[in-house]
Structure formats: structure tokens, C-alpha cells
Amino acid sequence: MTRPRQAGTDETGTGARARPPSPGDPPPDTHIAIIGAGLSGLGMGIALRRAGLEDFLILERAGDIGGTWRDNTYPGVGVDVPAQAYQFSFELNPRWSRVFAPGSEVMAYLDRLADRYRLRPHVRLHSEVVERVWDQQAQVWRLKVRRPGSPDAQEVVARFVVSAIGPFVDPKPVNVAGAARFAGTLLHSSRWDDSCDLAGKRVAVIGTGASAVQLVPEIAAEAARLDVYQRTPIWVAPKPDVAIPEALMRVFQRVPRLQGAVRRAAARGVELLLIDVVVHHQRAPYLARAGAWLLRSLWYRSQVRDPRTRRALVPRYGLGCKRPSVSNTYLRSFNRPNVSLITDPIARVTEAGVETVQGRERRVDVIVLATGFRLASDPENFRRTPVRGRDGFDLATAYTEHRLASYEGISIPGLPNHFMMFGPYGWVGGTWHELVETSAAHIVRVITEARRRGAAEVEVRAEPTARWTERMRSRLARSLWATNGCATANSYYFDHHGDTPYLRPTSSAQARKASRSFPLDHYRYLPPAPPAARPAAGRAASETAERTP
């Protein structure tokens, strides 16, 4: 097997290593390993290149880049915030076709990012990181990387690791009895089979989250019958979605500063609705209550004709307890004669359909699971792919036995040379791009400081981590989520400890400032260990970085 492009060089072979090796320093396979080639991993790679750090490898378990936008191709998929806000500040797309862009355009945007910033030579596809182990003697991370069809995992050695796995890691396991016995077609929203023709079929959709809000209207238009199984209703607001005129696209192309201003305004608007109303709830509790009243009394009433169905669709928890969605067609779908809303709990899936606890079986040809995902903070993720740090630290155990904590949503004591693009209390602003830019700036700053000091090991200190986490918890204790109005929301904002570590309760502007100004001495920096005390790190056998057409 051949090695990938020499780590630490650019495509012309003239790049410099991120840190000059010390005498006797066994070189790792790559200075920085990024796990995941979705929006987070690509954004991190861009930040490293812009900082002149070329020695990095992006390990992607799938056969292409793109993350959630690669995986989610179900009918109707698209962004649920304005596209002008859903882009990097340094890479504006003047040609979004609609206010809310379809998923195919977002995927095309990511492809352009990978090409423009020459990231593809750094990407190794079909490479799932199944274990991360910190080698204290060598001061490196040893990653077990498994490739499809290979019985053994390879080892990749990296000085630093950046986890860019995103907020939604894997689909939740099918938790419906009998699903494996279903004789028809079983689909998941994130594993869509485009060859499955739903026209004229009897279809059941299980789940009513954000994905279901987008795909239900599409299925309703072609299925002979559609049954929507709802456990918890979702707040659905109007979607101000229109096509972007060609003339405006040309203006954005010629005057990027204007589009930059539009982007900032759109991002601030999203942050105001999704973050400020939650975090600053006690200052203006009437905002959430007024929003819920307007939706319930005006919007839902105008959308759903049948009073009984409408009552079942209106949430009984407060607006903001779980992420709301936007759609002009979801609620109206339940006016169609071929669509039924079913709120009876599911007892089991039979060979021919779905049976509720009342004993009624509804026969279907296709079942679509829109049942959500495991969040990045779910300990099960790290039981399947363990992360083991200094002195026996195990991330799954820490997340299970202790309340989640982090420093700036990025670093955790016990994990030297390890960063998370989205750690506990890490969500910044209203869109993922805000978070990626802020997290990447923090990480680059620490790695650059380690290089300046000649350090081989960097670890966040326990004291500033505890102080920062306590400030976040204190602010959230006054948030909308702390009210009893969220008791029935079944929201992924709440973790298994009852905390809400999803959101960073500051503005995106405050987070950006912190990423540029946090005290660098909140980390400790250790020099390379003496060569005599270190075993050979060993270079991993590896294959040429590839991209599947």
C-alpha cells in the first residue's frame, strides 16, 4: 500500500511542518487528526490552512465528505434557518436559490469549500475512528481506524486530535418491538433510499421532529395513505420562503459587503429567536408566551381544519423547550383525506404494519423512521468508539457518572492535545457556522501557542474549566428551560443528568471575543519528554487519500 501525500506539505510539496521535530522525536503520522469531514471538519481544515498549519489529516468514515448533508437526502430536505445565515462569514454564496436553501445546494456549497481550500488531499475516506487512546510516554494520540471490509483496524498516530463529529452522531437505535420482522420496506430519514418509489404506497412515518416536518408533506403528496405516528408534537411556525431573484444574486456577487451585512442581520435574527428568547427568558417571559399564543390561536387554526386533529398537533409545552421548526405545508398535510395523525402509543411493528397499544393494526408497505439521533454528549457514542485520556480517563464513564463540563465548549481536563468542535455547553449563536468559526479560532490559537512554546503536550486546567462551566450553568438556571413548562417536551436539550449542556448561554459576539482573548495560561504546556523515556511512536500503514466519485 502507498502512503498518502506526505503529511505537513502542501500540494506542491513546499509546506512546513506545524512544529519542527526535536532531536530523537519520533514523528507521528500527522500532527493534527480531524475526525469527520462534515461542516465542522471542513471548517477546521480551512482554519488550519489559513493559519499556515498544513500537517493535518481528516478522517471520514463515509465514502464522501458532507456529513449530515451527505447523509440526509430525504424528500424535502433543506435548511430550517435562512440560507444567508447558513454560511461562513469568509465564504459567501451569492447564488442561494431560495431564502431557505434545499439540501442539494448546501452539499454543493460544501463541495466548493473542499475544492477552493484544497482540502481533498487531506481527507481519507472510508476511515472510521473506532478508538482514541492517549499515549502519555510518547505524548501522542493513537487512533484505531477501521476501513470497510478490513478485519483489523489500522493505527494512525497524531500529536493533536480535533473531534468534528457534529451534534447528531448516529441515528437512534430502532426502539420499536418487532421492527426487524417487518416484511415491507424500512427506511430511516438519514439513510434514504432514492430507489424506493412511494407513489401509491401505504406509508407510516414514526416521529414528528424536524426531519418529519420536511418529509411528511412530500410523502403525503404521492402516497396512497400516510399514517403519522406522533409521540410529542412540535411547534411549527410559518416559513417565509421565496425564490431569490436573479438580479439580487448578481448584486450579491458584485457587492459582497452587502451580502455580508445581510448575513450578519440574518444570523442575528436567528440567534434572537432561538437563543435570546431562551437564555434571557426571565427578562421578557411574555415573548415566549406571546409566540405560543400566536401560533396556537392564529397559525395552527388557519392551517388545520379539524379541531380534534388541531388540538393533538398543538404542543402542551412552552415555545422554545425544544427546537421549533418552520413549514408552510406540514400542518396543512393533515387536511388531506389520505393522511392520518395517530397519537396512540405504538405497541409493536408486525410483519404487515404497525400495531398500537389499543390493539389496532394498520397495514402499511413502507415504514419511515424519523426518530432522531444520538447527540454528541450521549455516553453510548463513546462506549462504541472509546476515548481514553490521561491516567485512565474514559470519556464514556465521565459523561455517565458526572455532570458534563468543558472549557469554552471545546476542551476537557484529562484529554491532553484533544479538542471538540462541539463539546458541553458549546452551541454558539443560531447557526452551526458561527460555532465552527468560533471553535476553530480557539483551537488554532492553542495549537499555535504550543508551537511557539515548543510544547508537545497541552491540557486545559481543571480550575478554569470548573469556573467556566459553573458560569454557564448559572446563566442557564435562569433560562426558559429551567421553567416547568418544559416538563413534557421530551427535548434533546436535556441530557441524562437533567442538565441542558447543549447551548452556550452567551451571544455569538461574546463567544467570538472569548475565542480571541481567553487566557492562554488556562492551558498547561509541557515540553517533549526526553527521548530515552519514550518508545518509538511507529508510523501507521496507510493508504492514499481518496475521494469516491
Side-chain angles (χ1 to χ4, degrees), residues 171-176 188-189 206-209 231 368-373:
K172 286 182 179 177
V174 180
N175 193 25
V176 181
H188 193 282
S189 59
I206 299 177
T208 52
R231 181 179 62 172
V368 177
L369 299 173
T371 48
F373 300 84

Side-chain angles (χ1 to χ4, degrees), residues 266-283:
R268 183 66 190 107
V270 173
E271 184 176 353
L272 176 66
L273 292 173
L274 297 184
I275 308 299
D276 290 15
V277 169
V278 171
V279 173
H280 304 301
H281 176 67
Q282 285 192 344
R283 296 182 188 174

